[in-house]
Amino acid sequence: MRVIPPEDIRKQRTIRYSDKEYDNITQKAKALNLKTATFIRARTLADDIEEVKRYALTPIEERKDIALILSALGASRMASNLNQIAYAINTGTLVLSPDVIKQITDACETLKWMRGALTQALGLRKQ
């Protein structure tokens, strides 16, 4: 079970806008493919619009990249495989054959690719 620190718990707040103001906000959010609440939170907490984009993480191209990475991670059974390797190491039964070394090396390369792709998709590194 995930425990959320009290300072990170989000609470509903009320802000009053005229219809014209709210329409303006929703149009700007829609232009960035953001939910209105996400746009307002990002915009008020960020120093510039690029930071808003990074904070929200929702442009469609980024969603596709992140979905691709997450699906690759899920299909890889990497968590299960790493658990089996850790168990074998802890019990002293891991035999480092050329095949095992290749599999570990391949897993490391896959993780490096995922890290790079996520970093790029999140806007933390240019292409």
Side-chain angles (χ1 to χ4, degrees):
M1 181 171 73
R2 193 175 114 199
V3 177
I4 300 173
E7 65 272 8
D8 291 342
I9 294 174
R10 291 190 173 157
K11 298 176 185 172
Q12 184 172 347
R13 307 288 190 222
T14 302
I15 301 174
R16 297 179 191 270
Y17 297 105
S18 69
D19 288 340
K20 185 176 180 180
E21 291 169 333
Y22 191 74
D23 288 344
N24 189 352
I25 291 168
T26 57
Q27 287 174 4
K28 289 179 181 181
K30 194 173 190 177
L32 291 171
N33 295 316
L34 301 176
K35 293 179 181 178
T36 304
T38 302
F39 175 79
I40 292 169
R41 184 172 38 266
R43 190 66 189 255
T44 56
L45 297 175
D47 293 328
D48 60 37
I49 195 66
E50 289 303 314
E51 190 174 340
V52 171
K53 290 178 184 177
R54 284 192 302 273
Y55 180 85
L57 306 176
T58 54
I60 290 172
E61 298 80 21
E62 290 178 7
R63 281 192 227 160
K64 288 178 183 175
D65 291 343
I66 293 169
L68 174 68
I69 295 162
L70 293 175
S71 68
L73 181 59
S76 71
R77 297 186 31 85
M78 196 170 301
S80 174
N81 294 342
L82 288 173
N83 188 42
Q84 291 173 7
I85 291 169
Y87 178 79
I89 289 170
N90 289 331
T91 59
T93 59
L94 181 66
V95 177
L96 288 176
S97 66
D99 184 49
V100 170
I101 292 172
K102 182 182 180 328
Q103 289 175 7
I104 292 172
T105 302
D106 290 347
C108 288
E109 290 303 315
T110 301
L111 285 171
K112 285 180 189 177
W113 172 80
M114 287 181 188
R115 181 185 63 195
L118 277 171
T119 301
Q120 184 175 329
L122 296 173
L124 302 175
R125 183 178 67 193
K126 298 293 181 197
Q127 292 182 3

